[in-house]
DNA sequence: GTGGTCTAGACCACG
DNA sequence: GTGGTCTAGACCACC
């Protein structure tokens, strides 16, 4: 679990952490039941404050992506019937608009979406 | 040009305005060369402060979506040579990850993307 | 006398006009005693309001670059012992700073300055 | 970091602040990686509003002169790959024209340019 | 503590 | 009438 944080970017650090963990889960890099690194270790590795990592974990728990486990600390949750957030769908529409204005064809855009979805190799 | 703002949401107002204008341009509701409402009028209609609208317009100018015309106010930009921002592509990947974890199939996700892209009807 | 105005730029139109006339005088394109186009004609050619051209002429008069002539309208003034404005010197310092940060060597910068000064060919 | 603002002048305050910071970076008074004063403190010291300083910082970020560091505030940018703006080159040509009309010789003008470039002592 | 956002109201430059 | 600038004071998100 290696984090790549952009300290200068506009995305808050805790959100960057949250996003990267979500992508790691989606790609299979992190499997259901697998233990996540401790807050302390992740904070040290990444050079950020523990509170920042803690906040990311808290949000991931609220969203149902991870869960606390008495024996093992924090683990990746089993798959659930989440749905895409209203907010995420909104963002998708905005991005699609930007793509359209940028002159992308529908095929090009869908190709990009397919690539994004297929990121971590085929799902079993 | 009618804005739907979510005053309670976490997305800054100026960003909501920016996003809706981008979508309006993408959908063809706003055509290249067409005048945008003045900062003042848009602010009054939407019940937000002038500075907030001004900030949205400033960002849209920097992004190349609109231009100031010293004689007529603000107009939709004509020439576009944008590319999708790195940031937007990043977001797309995160959303795709969320969709995958949510259990959507590739087909379902692409269907959603197609709908988002096709939003305002066919392009001329 | 052909003006190239950037309607979208941040420089006010009257200033753009003023600047181009100054450069035309410096380069010798406009000689001392020569008549300037009438406000009306210049406004029509350039597609701007007469008031805008008028404002540029007014400032040029105040700065001593042109003068009213009862018989001929407006003419280029004879050379005078102007000095560089404090404001212009300030700007020069800022530009030099930008050049330095941009990584230009002193030689490169001076070369650029020489080119700018020599713009309109050798002075007689 | 001490600012000298001309409250009566025509140059907007936020631009004066931006220009002085650029000059401070160019002269080496501010080094890459060094922290800039916080918006609040600079605003207090200079007797201007926070928003005004904020606007200057925002522009400097967009121009790549400084960067936000989410942990430490705002710092002078490290890597620079700028080029002189088209706008700055334009201004240089206008100033050179003014100098020429003012009767300066090429040598005198270049001497002034050299002084402007060499401002904060020799570069390391 | 930091920067980011927003308001209400004002003044000015531009065209 | 347009956009640009500024103020004084407030609240919030982030670290």
């Amino acid at each position: 679990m290696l984090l790549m944080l952009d300290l200068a970017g506009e995305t808050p650090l805790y959100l960057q952490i949250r996003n990267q963990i979500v992508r790691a889960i989606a790609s299979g890099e992190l499997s259901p039941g697998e233990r996540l690194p401790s807050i302390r270790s992740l904070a040290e590795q990444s050079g950020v404050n523990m509170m920042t990592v803690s906040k990311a974990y808290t949000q991931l728990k609220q969203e149902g992506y991870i869960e606390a486990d008495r024996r093992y600390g924090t683990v990746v949750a089993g798959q659930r019937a989440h749905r895409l957030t209203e907010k995420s769908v909104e963002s998708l529409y905005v991005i699609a608009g930007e793509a359209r204005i940028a002159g992308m064809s529908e095929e090009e855009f869908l190709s990009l979406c397919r690539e994004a979805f297929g990121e971590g190799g085929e799902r079993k």
Side-chain angles (χ1 to χ4, degrees), chain A residues 112-124:
Chain A
L112 179 65
C113 293
R114 190 176 295 112
E115 188 188 322
F117 190 86
E119 198 188 12
E122 284 308 303
R123 178 180 279 167
K124 308 169 192 177

Side-chain angles (χ1 to χ4, degrees), chain A residues 37-44 49-51 53-55 57 61 74:
Chain A
S38 74
I39 291 182
R40 177 182 300 274
S41 65
L42 200 51
E44 283 175 2
N49 195 296
M50 280 178 50
M51 276 186 48
V53 180
S54 173
K55 185 162 185 176
Y57 276 31
K61 277 175 206 160
T74 311

Side-chain angles (χ1 to χ4, degrees), chain A residues 11 16 29 47 65 70 82 84 95 111 117 120-122:
Chain A
T11 311
Q16 293 185 45
E29 186 188 336
Y65 289 114
R70 289 211 165 266
H82 304 285
L84 267 188
I95 294 170
S111 169
F117 190 86
E122 284 308 303

